[in-house]
Amino acid sequence: MAEDLSRAPLWSRKVTLADVSRAPQIIALEADAATRMAIARDLDIERLDLLTARVTVRPWLDGAEIDGELKAEVTLLCSLSGEPFEQLITARFAVRAVPEGSDAAPSTDQLEVDIDPEGDDPPDVLETDRIDVAAYVVEHLALEIDPFPRKPGAVFEPVADQAEISPFSVLRNLRGKDAE
């Protein structure tokens, strides 16, 4: 995940590649109420009542490997009924990141990109020597939220069609008007 310097992060906890290269970093994160409110607004969800994560950042080639587990309590709006409902989200994630200019960085001058759905993702390219661990947690939370959430027990009931209109019945009606 390249760092977006044009916007202040909602939640930030950075480690440097130098610190990671000396020893793995184990980081426990817990978002405060104001941060959770900002993240909920940014992710377009009703509420975020809890967001915690435990992340390990260890050396990988000339970059870092980021392994984490997040836990979140969210309130979503049902896409069928519009009613709010609570959901507990737990997820594990793993990402690799390398500095700009790394031999392990994906090539940007290729015209075609081969994607192996079963293969590992290419490493993220960092714009600085810092890794924002909290930003990875928020990114993976966003990936875990269903874009069309459904409240448990909610069932889609299509509107019953009135009389099905066929082209012939329309013609029959027009013909009846001409006869008058």
Side-chain angles (χ1 to χ4, degrees):
M1 180 181 83
E3 199 173 346
D4 182 3
L5 301 176
S6 64
R7 176 179 128 172
L10 299 173
W11 190 31
S12 185
R13 173 62 165 84
K14 295 181 180 181
V15 295
T16 65
L17 287 174
D19 289 340
V20 172
S21 69
R22 284 191 282 277
Q25 305 289 305
I26 299 173
I27 302 161
L29 299 166
E30 184 169 356
D32 63 21
T35 301
R36 292 191 316 267
M37 190 180 307
I39 293 169
R41 187 174 34 254
D42 194 58
L43 297 181
D44 197 24
I45 58 176
E46 285 298 296
R47 273 192 347 256
L48 180 59
D49 294 324
L50 172 77
L51 179 56
T52 62
R54 181 176 167 82
V55 182
T56 302
V57 186
R58 66 179 66 76
W60 180 76
L61 301 177
D62 58 344
E65 184 172 52
I66 304 137
D67 288 312
E69 185 170 355
L70 68 89
K71 181 178 180 181
E73 291 176 6
V74 298
T75 301
L76 306 170
L77 286 182
C78 177
S79 60
L80 295 177
S81 67
E83 296 175 13
F85 69 99
E86 294 176 0
Q87 183 177 27
L88 177 65
I89 295 174
T90 58
R92 296 192 61 78
F93 62 91
V95 180
R96 293 176 174 156
V98 294
E100 255 180 346
S102 169
D103 290 340
S107 176
T108 57
D109 55 347
Q110 288 180 321
L111 296 177
E112 292 184 28
V113 178
D114 292 326
I115 298 175
D116 178 5
E118 300 299 320
D120 290 336
D121 289 338
D124 287 350
V125 178
L126 302 170
E127 293 179 0
T128 67
D129 70 333
R130 296 178 178 270
I131 300 167
D132 193 342
V133 177
Y136 278 109
V137 172
V138 173
E139 177 182 313
H140 285 85
L141 172 62
L143 292 171
E144 291 294 324
I145 296 173
D146 186 345
F148 300 102
R150 187 176 288 188
K151 183 177 181 176
V155 178
F156 176 69
E157 296 179 20
V159 177
D161 283 339
Q162 295 168 352
E164 188 175 317
I165 301 174
S166 74
F168 297 110
S169 66
V170 172
L171 289 173
R172 195 175 311 121
N173 289 339
L174 287 175
R175 187 174 176 196
K177 291 180 184 176
D178 288 341
E180 293 175 10

